[in-house]
Amino acid sequence: MVLRKRSTADIVAEDRSIIDANAKTTEKLVLLVKDNVELAERLKSLGETLKYLKPSEATVETDKKIGAKLDDLKIELSHISVTPSYRTDSIISEILMLLVNRKD
């Protein structure tokens, strides 16, 4: 069995698909919280930021972590009513910190 290193183009293509999936997840989250205008606006802003991220070989792991946090947020939002919880704000803050620390 021969192991070969993945090419940079393959890794960047994977990162692009992760970024696209993350942006689509935020669109779904906006629909989930449409009754809470403030939270919906925060998620729209986050989605716009995610949509225009530059894919690179160095950011794949960070983008996967962002996707995992978005999944956590989806679970949290499905359990709350109209008012977001402290955990919701905490998860959004963690996503924003990952974006700040993301190396482009």
Side-chain angles (χ1 to χ4, degrees):
M1 182 169 149
V2 176
L3 297 177
R4 114 186 134 100
K5 185 178 176 186
R6 291 176 50 198
S7 71
T8 301
D10 290 341
I11 295 170
V12 170
E14 177 191 6
D15 195 32
R16 169 51 49 205
S17 68
I18 293 168
I19 290 170
D20 289 343
N22 290 346
K24 288 178 182 174
T25 299
T26 58
E27 292 172 6
K28 293 174 187 173
L29 293 173
V30 168
L31 294 175
L32 191 62
V33 297
K34 63 184 174 199
D35 295 333
N36 186 327
V37 177
E38 180 184 335
L39 184 56
E41 288 301 318
R42 286 178 70 191
L43 291 171
K44 282 180 189 175
S45 173
L46 180 62
E48 287 298 312
T49 302
L50 291 173
K51 187 185 301 185
Y52 297 110
L53 289 177
K54 179 182 170 189
S56 78
E57 192 172 7
T59 61
V60 174
E61 291 306 314
T62 302
D63 292 333
K64 287 179 182 178
K65 289 177 185 177
I66 291 170
K69 290 292 177 187
L70 287 170
D71 288 339
D72 292 346
L73 185 58
K74 187 183 338 177
I75 291 167
E76 183 67 25
L77 291 175
S78 67
H79 293 314
I80 65 169
S81 58
V82 177
T83 308
S85 67
Y86 170 76
R87 180 81 179 124
T88 302
D89 291 334
S90 174
I91 295 171
I92 292 173
S93 295
E94 290 172 16
I95 293 169
L96 293 174
M97 288 304 298
L98 285 169
L99 285 171
V100 168
N101 294 326
R102 187 180 184 269
K103 299 176 185 103
D104 278 333

